Amino acid sequence: MDTDTAIVTELNGLRRRVPDVTGSVLTGVDGLLITHDLASAEAESIAALAAASVGLGRRFAMTAGHGDLRETVIHGSRGQVALYPVGDRALLAVLAGPGTDPGLLHAHGRRAARSIGELLRSRPAGNVAAPVPGLLDNHAPLAVRTPMATLPYNPALPRRRF
């Protein structure tokens, strides 16, 4: 079985092992979709949001002095999303219903992330997103953003009133 098929098999197995899992998304740390097993067309959006959430989670854990991020869980009124780092180049987002047992979800989600990480390491390097510089570097400065008030005014653009 090739690596890509093995990864999809792992995602499908996660859905079978945890009853309320509705799908999974595997994405690079850059937010670009690698693969998914979602029924909806939202996989690319979920991949981008997952990467942003894990990036913030890693920075938060580091700043708080809590070590490496293990996972991030988002609980909503109609379900939860668990995000697991997959090595330093990818992450796994697992979507589950509101009645999902968190212990079962984490046990199988962590196992799937480890298994997929091993599979990704066996792939040629060009097929996996490169690490984002500074994402895992604990001493990298945060990006500098320009406040909107300092941007030059362009009268050709319509003004919105808030």
Side-chain angles (χ1 to χ4, degrees), residues 10 73 77 99 116 142 147 153 158:
E10 185 65 41
V73 180
S77 61
I116 292 170
L142 293 173
Y153 171 70

Side-chain angles (χ1 to χ4, degrees), residues 18-20 80 96-107:
V18 184
D20 290 327
Q80 52 190 313
T100 304
D101 175 16
L104 186 64
L105 176 62
H106 291 319

